[in-house]
Structures are given as structure tokens and as C-alpha cells.
Amino acid sequence: MSTEDSAPRKRPTINDIAAAAGVSKPTVSRVLNGHPDVSAATRHRVQEVAAELGYVPSADARALSTGRHGALGLLMPAFSWWGFNELQYGIAHEAEKRGLRLLVQALHPGDEAEREFVTRTLPTLPVDGLILLMPEGMLRYVGDLARSGRPVVVVDDRGNRPGIPYVETTNRDGVREAVAHLVGEGRRRIGFLAGQMGSAYARARFEGYLDGLREADLPYLPELVSLSEDAPVEPLPEDLDAVLDAEPDAVVAAWDEIAFAVMNAVHARGWRIPEDVAVIGFDDSPLARAVRPSLTTVHQPCREMGEAAVRMLADAIEHGTGPANASVPTRLVIRESTGPITTA
Amino acid sequence: MSTEDSAPRKRPTINDIAAAAGVSKPTVSRVLNGHPDVSAATRHRVQEVAAELGYVPSADARALSTGRHGALGLLMPAFSWWGFNELQYGIAHEAEKRGLRLLVQALHPGDEAEREFVTRTLPTLPVDGLILLMPEGMLRYVGDLARSGRPVVVVDDRGNRPGIPYVETTNRDGVREAVAHLVGEGRRRIGFLAGQMGSAYARARFEGYLDGLREADLPYLPELVSLSEDAPVEPLPEDLDAVLDAEPDAVVAAWDEIAFAVMNAVHARGWRIPEDVAVIGFDDSPLARAVRPSLTTVHQPCREMGEAAVRMLADAIEHGTGPANASVPTRLVIRESTGPITTA
DNA sequence: TTGTATGCGTTATCAG
DNA sequence: CTGATAACGCATACAA
């Protein structure tokens, strides 16, 4: 019905525009790239013709000519992470705003695969910069990454690499606020539970706990704290029990998974949440909202972290900016697992 | 310490290789692309020199020359989905195996944004094919997508578009098996709960329920079923209550969220799971494992679905294969919410 | 089996 | 302000 051909013809190039507009190729290029030194008349004509022809630039040709790919790469680990979806959306969104495409590269576990990746596939990626997501083992190679000539940003690095810029969240402050919230509800025996402490953010959150106590002039009671140096992600059941034996009226968990374990243990003892003991987590993973009672927790702004990472990377690509980390603020999300204390 | 320059020199091109190996450019190209008509001697020499120089091909140049980008695009919706991480990992993995890169493009909600996307940014994407993930509103434009000249595959299309190949899971069979499992545990009054039925997979799962009943010679009891035509994602509380009032000894939920709602309602009545009533979900979302009791559910193989999508797309790109859908098999994951019946 | 010439679509350099 | 011309790195006819 319309006048368009249904057969998808060859895409028009700047050559076609040039011919149709009666100007030269470079002039078209200048117009399309917004260069100032073009007469208003020709600029107008060229734009008109370009629109009429349905011109879309060739990313590949541009990349070849400029030496820049106009894209950045996201290296994703093999394991699933609750915040990945949001983080990537933030990255993709911010990248698009800046005219950058997003290339995703899956990382494979295992030494062999990592080495192979760094030496073989990494150099071939047509990207101007890299975002490395919680690389775990990859961290050993992060130096090589940086040396590959392209700027690198690490998101939520566990144990920051010197010289590599990273994006984190306000781990310390977030927990401090959480403690303050509990104090405001009348809690005085506030416990802290963490699993493995091998990461920078775990230590930061513990510091935030101490800050919170200090701020409220509460004493540090070792029996209310478990840092399970060598435990897996969650604290050992006996450590958890030990803390509960000390009868806290609130527990701050270093991350949500721990909070869920706490809630189960508390329920098992027949104690009520939040009447007898309040529970606060960290992350605001999807589970936090779904669990009963729903979990008050420190929201980790994954989408914003992704955006920040892209901003840093884009700056580094354009102005060769050096390492300048970013710390995206958390936000306390109050749900059902906290509330005024009821127990004597 | 080593002999390498630390200053990242200009990347070597096939020109450099040609010069160093004393052959011509095209010869190098042929060797690198595995063309047969090259003498073993030169082939060897070229490969040696290429390795020595640390040559990596330029994806951009190759794309420009061949007219193929060697990449495929994943269109991701703005909302979070529990299976996205796994799905994308499957896509990325399979794409890499086939030497394809993965471009991720975020979709923005809203009519204006969608139209803008299809007409402006979509044509510029340097990809040879597109994977469209549960596009919701985008479905209106899926025709335009296909007409853009590049093959398109839809993952988990709700209400399949004619002519557009899609990847789904065995919704019908999965539920049938779930029912069989319940029957095997002695359940006889098996209910079925769904939220909105506007999607193809919801209807398929209901059919599976009917299949299961039929297979076990169980009667279809309308009072045990709620299809809430116009409800939101979860069924209305009154519908749920109505089904429970009919005293089922098991409930199959069309997806996990519904199962969680069922579990809460069952607990609220003081009934035990699974002793009094068993519950089975569909999806195997992360919550299913975390909830107490953990949820028996039909596992939806997101990673495999991603792999299948890439296979279909790659075939379509290479051989221009027409629409040939894929159905990836589900797997029943038995956890605590089912078990032998105890109630009289 | 190998080399020459040319083209892919764009930007950059340099005259005019 | 504009237009020739070259260059980006690679692949492909075609000729040798």
C-alpha cells in the first residue's frame, strides 16, 4: 500500500547521500557528525536527503576509520547473581545514552579457561573499554586486562586492586544507618553476623556496625558478633546459635542470605520477628521482599552502580582519566522484620 | 624482565605479517581463514609469523569487508526477570562457541520509546540477527523487526507470532509430569491455579494439567481450578481461597509466584505442607529453593533455552533457514513441598 | 599455489 | 566553506 519497497534494498551510504544532495562525501560526513564548518544551506539539504533515504551509519566502517569501536565490553562471570539483571540494565542504559554499544562476554571458570581468555579472546574484542563484574578468580589477571591498553572498571571488587578503578556501594555507611535505625526503635543488644570476611565489602560493613554502636554509645559485645573468618558464604550454624544464645534484640546481617538464615534460626527458637528480635540484611535481593516477614535491608543500588561504571569508563576512554573510584549510596528499605521492640 | 615492549605498540595487521613472512596480503588472509589452496610451507610460515607478532584480527575490518558483523543482538526488557542471568549466559556461551559476539540492547518501556527504537536505533545495530526476550509490548513491532532483514528469534513468546521462530520450554509436558508425580504420591484431589491466562504458556500448562488428570483417570473438578482470566500475575485471593475451600490434597501452580501465594494461604489455614496438601510450582526460580518448605517445581532450563536460541539464529544467518521452533525439555525438581500424603 | 587490484563505508588530511 | 584523495584492515575477484 505504501510507497516503500518491501524488498530490503542495500542500505544507503554517504556516497548515495552525496550524489543525491549534489555535494561531496566529506561534506556529508561533516554534516552527519555535526561539524560546525558547513553552510546552513548545505547542512539542511544533506540532512533532508539523509532522512529521505533512511540513512543509517555503518558502525563497522566508522570504527575502522576512527580506530574506536564505540562499544564497551561487560565481562560476566559464570555464576548467577541476583543483581546482575539490574546492573546490566544500568550499564546498557547509560552506554546507550553515550552512544556506546554494549558487548557481553561470558567468563568461564577454571585456570585454563581464564588464561586462554585473557590471551586469546580478550584482545579480539572490538571494545574501547571493559567492565569487569565481580571477577573472583579473574582478579589474578586484572592486571593483564589493564595492560591490554583499554581502560578497565571493576564493579564491586572484593579486595580492591591497586590502580584499577572500581565501583562500590557505601557499605560502611549503609550498615551504620541500619544500626541507627535499630537504635531508634529501642534496640540495645544489636548483633552482627557475617560469613567469610575475605572481601573488602564484608570488612567495610563490619566497620559500619562498629560506627553505629559508637554513634549510639553502645558497648561492643563480642558475644553478639560472629565474623566466621573461614566459613562459607553463610556463617556456620554453631556460630549463628552462639550469637542467638547471647540473646540479641536485633541482628544485622552482612548480607541478605545471612539474614534469611538468622530468620529461620530465630523462628526455630520460637522467637518472634520483629517483636522479640529485629533483623536487618544488606543487598535488598529479590528474596528480601518475598520472605515472611519481609526483610528490612540496606538496598544496594545495582542499576546506579552500572551507570556509574559506564560514566567512569566513558570518561577514561575520552579523556584518559586515571583511577577515580565511585561509591554509590545505599538506601535503607524498611519492611516487616524491624519495628518497635516489644520484649521486656 | 621479558623481551616484550611494555609500551603497547600498534596492533600488527595482515600487512605486517605479509611483510615479515615474505608473502602477499591475500595469502595471509587465506591462511588465517583456513582456505585450502595454500602450500603447507607458506601456511606454516605465515602462522608462525602471525603467532610471533601476536596478531589478532580486526573484527571491524572484517565486518566491513564481508558485510557480516559476526555478532548477534539480545534485546532485553526493562523489567527484571529471575531467569535472565542464566538465559544470557547460555546465549553468550553458545554464541562464543560459534565465533559470534553478543551485543546487548536495553529496551525502554513506552510507545514512543518503542517506535523510536525500531525506527532509529535498531537499524544501526551491527548484528546479523536478533534475539528478542519476552518483549511484551514490543510484540507489536516484532513484524518490523523481522522485516529489518535480519533473522529474529523470540524467547518464550507469549502468544506466538506467526512466522517468527521462537524458543519455548515444554510447558504442557512439564505440568503433566508434575501431576503424575502427585498421583504417584497418592494425591487424588489435585488443584490447578493460574493467574492471567493471556499467554500461550499459561494455556499450555493448563492443558498439561488436563493431560495429567486424564492419564490418571482422575475427574476434572472445576471447584479445584482457578484460571482467573483477568487477574494480575497472581490469582485473586478470593479465587485462591475458593480452591482451598474445596480441600485439595495437592495444588499445581502455573508458576512459582502462585505457588508461594498458595503456600502462604495454606499455612494461614494451619494446614501442613506436604502432609496435608502438596504444592508444585513451575519455573524453578531462585526463590523455590530458598522458601520453607522448599518448593517442588518444574525446572525451566533457561540456559539451554538461550543456547537453543543461538543455534536457531546461527542457522538462520548461515543457511537462511526458515522458522523452526525449539522446545527445550523441562525437568521436575523434587523438594520438600511434595511427599507422601498423610491426611486421611 | 600465489600475487595484483579493488572494494567495503567512513573519517581525516590537505588543498582550494 | 568545500572537495579531492588517502587511509583504516581485511576479503575477494581475477590474473598469473
Side-chain angles (χ1 to χ4, degrees):
Chain A
M1 277 304 150
S2 69
T3 55
E4 336 170 24
D5 295 21
S6 58
R9 307 193 59 74
K10 200 176 73 59
R11 275 168 47 165
T13 73
I14 55 173
N15 263 316
D16 303 324
I17 302 182
V23 295
S24 76
K25 220 179 347 178
T27 300
V28 175
S29 177
R30 285 189 273 261
V31 171
L32 263 30
N33 291 328
H35 287 205
D37 43 0
V38 185
S39 81
T42 41
R43 145 160 301 127
H44 205 72
R45 187 149 31 95
V46 167
Q47 288 175 327
E48 203 143 81
V49 174
E52 190 173 340
L53 261 47
Y55 168 79
V56 299
S58 157
D60 295 315
R62 189 195 304 256
L64 187 57
S65 184
T66 61
R68 294 208 355 205
H69 309 279
L72 43 80
L74 170 62
L75 272 33
M76 72 178 285
F79 57 86
S80 276
W81 175 51
W82 62 265
F84 178 77
N85 203 328
E86 278 296 305
L87 180 87
Q88 179 175 290
Y89 193 87
I91 291 173
H93 189 67
E94 186 69 23
E96 186 184 1
K97 285 208 304 194
R98 297 172 179 256
L100 294 169
R101 281 172 299 282
L102 177 62
L103 228 70
V104 168
Q105 173 70 43
L107 257 28
H108 308 298
D111 278 20
E112 177 65 18
E114 286 176 5
R115 154 147 247 88
E116 173 91 2
F117 169 76
V118 171
T119 63
R120 300 192 80 82
T121 108
L122 185 59
T124 75
L125 292 184
V127 298
D128 303 314
L130 291 167
I131 297 179
L132 193 43
L133 172 55
M134 299 202 306
E136 294 279 355
M138 279 302 290
L139 279 177
R140 279 177 298 156
Y141 297 102
V142 78
D144 297 273
L145 291 188
R147 224 169 295 123
S148 91
R150 291 168 290 199
V152 175
V153 169
V154 174
V155 174
D156 198 23
D157 182 6
R158 17 197 103 192
N160 317 322
R161 293 298 134 187
I164 310 285
Y166 60 88
V167 177
E168 59 171 11
T169 193
T170 54
N171 290 293
R172 183 166 177 170
D173 243 39
V175 175
R176 187 186 54 71
E177 281 180 46
V179 172
H181 173 64
L182 292 171
V183 170
E185 287 183 333
R187 314 283 171 172
R188 287 296 176 268
R189 296 181 58 79
I190 301 173
F192 182 82
L193 272 164
Q196 53 188 13
M197 291 294 289
S199 58
Y201 66 80
R203 289 190 295 272
R205 291 175 194 179
F206 178 57
E207 290 298 326
Y209 168 69
L210 296 179
D211 290 346
L213 291 186
R214 213 173 293 127
E215 236 179 43
D217 281 326
L218 290 176
Y220 174 79
L221 305 175
E223 66 269 25
L224 290 180
V225 174
S226 166
L227 263 33
S228 338
E229 283 298 346
D230 41 32
V233 178
E234 297 185 17
L236 300 173
E238 53 263 37
D239 293 340
L240 204 169
D241 272 332
V243 169
L244 292 188
D245 284 343
E247 300 195 332
D249 56 16
V251 173
V252 176
W255 43 92
D256 283 355
E257 280 83 15
I258 297 180
F260 302 137
V262 171
M263 290 175 69
N264 284 327
V266 167
H267 280 144
R269 288 179 179 234
W271 297 348
R272 292 164 305 165
I273 300 175
E275 291 83 354
D276 302 319
V277 46
V279 179
I280 288 192
F282 197 114
D283 278 344
D284 195 18
S285 58
L287 254 166
R289 168 184 284 111
V291 128
R292 307 291 155 124
S294 57
L295 181 67
T296 294
T297 187
V298 181
H299 176 80
Q300 180 164 9
C302 295
R303 185 179 295 206
E304 286 83 352
M305 289 173 74
E307 293 170 351
V310 172
R311 276 196 295 270
M312 290 167 56
L313 208 47
D315 281 1
I317 291 171
E318 286 185 43
H319 320 98
T321 313
N325 307 326
S327 198
V328 185
T330 54
R331 181 169 49 81
L332 183 64
V333 180
I334 297 172
R335 298 209 179 89
E336 302 167 350
S337 69
T338 58
I341 192 170
T342 304
T343 308
Chain B
M1 277 305 149
S2 70
T3 55
E4 332 171 27
D5 295 22
S6 58
R9 307 193 59 74
K10 201 174 74 57
R11 275 169 46 166
T13 73
I14 55 172
N15 263 317
D16 303 323
I17 301 182
V23 296
S24 77
K25 224 182 341 182
T27 300
V28 176
S29 177
R30 285 189 272 259
V31 171
L32 264 29
N33 291 330
H35 287 205
D37 44 1
V38 186
S39 79
T42 42
R43 146 160 299 125
H44 205 71
R45 186 147 34 93
V46 167
Q47 288 176 328
E48 204 144 79
V49 173
E52 190 173 341
L53 261 47
Y55 169 79
V56 299
S58 156
D60 295 316
R62 190 197 304 260
L64 187 56
S65 185
T66 61
R68 289 201 7 196
H69 308 278
L72 43 81
L74 170 63
L75 272 33
M76 73 178 285
F79 57 85
S80 277
W81 176 51
W82 61 266
F84 178 76
N85 204 328
E86 278 295 306
L87 180 88
Q88 180 175 290
Y89 193 86
I91 291 174
H93 188 67
E94 185 70 22
E96 185 184 0
K97 285 208 304 193
R98 296 172 179 257
L100 294 169
R101 280 172 298 282
L102 177 62
L103 227 71
V104 168
Q105 174 71 41
L107 257 28
H108 308 297
D111 278 19
E112 176 66 18
E114 287 175 5
R115 155 148 248 88
E116 173 90 2
F117 169 75
V118 171
T119 63
R120 300 192 81 82
T121 108
L122 184 60
T124 75
L125 291 185
V127 298
D128 303 314
L130 291 168
I131 297 178
L132 193 44
L133 171 55
M134 298 202 307
E136 294 279 355
M138 279 302 292
L139 278 176
R140 278 176 298 154
Y141 297 102
V142 78
D144 298 274
L145 291 187
R147 223 169 298 122
S148 91
R150 291 168 290 198
V152 175
V153 170
V154 174
V155 174
D156 198 23
D157 184 5
R158 17 196 104 192
N160 318 322
R161 293 300 135 185
I164 310 286
Y166 61 89
V167 177
E168 59 171 11
T169 193
T170 54
N171 290 294
R172 184 166 178 170
D173 243 37
V175 175
R176 189 187 52 72
E177 281 180 45
V179 172
H181 172 65
L182 292 171
V183 170
E185 287 183 331
R187 315 282 171 171
R188 287 295 174 272
R189 296 181 58 80
I190 302 174
F192 181 84
L193 272 164
Q196 52 187 14
M197 291 293 288
S199 58
Y201 67 81
R203 290 189 295 272
R205 292 175 193 178
F206 178 58
E207 291 297 328
Y209 167 69
L210 297 179
D211 291 345
L213 292 186
R214 215 173 294 126
E215 235 179 43
D217 280 326
L218 290 176
Y220 174 79
L221 305 176
E223 65 270 27
L224 290 180
V225 174
S226 167
L227 264 31
S228 335
E229 282 298 346
D230 42 30
V233 179
E234 298 183 17
L236 299 173
E238 54 263 37
D239 293 340
L240 205 169
D241 273 331
V243 169
L244 291 188
D245 284 344
E247 299 196 332
D249 56 17
V251 174
V252 175
W255 43 91
D256 283 355
E257 280 83 16
I258 297 180
F260 303 136
V262 171
M263 289 174 69
N264 285 327
V266 168
H267 280 144
R269 289 179 178 232
W271 297 348
R272 292 163 306 165
I273 300 174
E275 290 84 354
D276 301 320
V277 46
V279 179
I280 288 192
F282 197 114
D283 279 344
D284 195 18
S285 59
L287 253 166
R289 168 184 283 109
V291 127
R292 307 291 154 123
S294 56
L295 181 68
T296 293
T297 187
V298 181
H299 176 81
Q300 181 165 6
C302 295
R303 184 179 295 205
E304 286 83 351
M305 290 172 74
E307 292 169 352
V310 172
R311 276 195 295 271
M312 291 168 55
L313 208 47
D315 281 0
I317 291 171
E318 286 183 44
H319 321 100
T321 314
N325 306 326
S327 198
V328 185
T330 54
R331 180 170 49 81
L332 183 65
V333 179
I334 298 173
R335 297 208 180 88
E336 302 166 350
S337 69
T338 58
I341 191 169
T342 304
T343 308

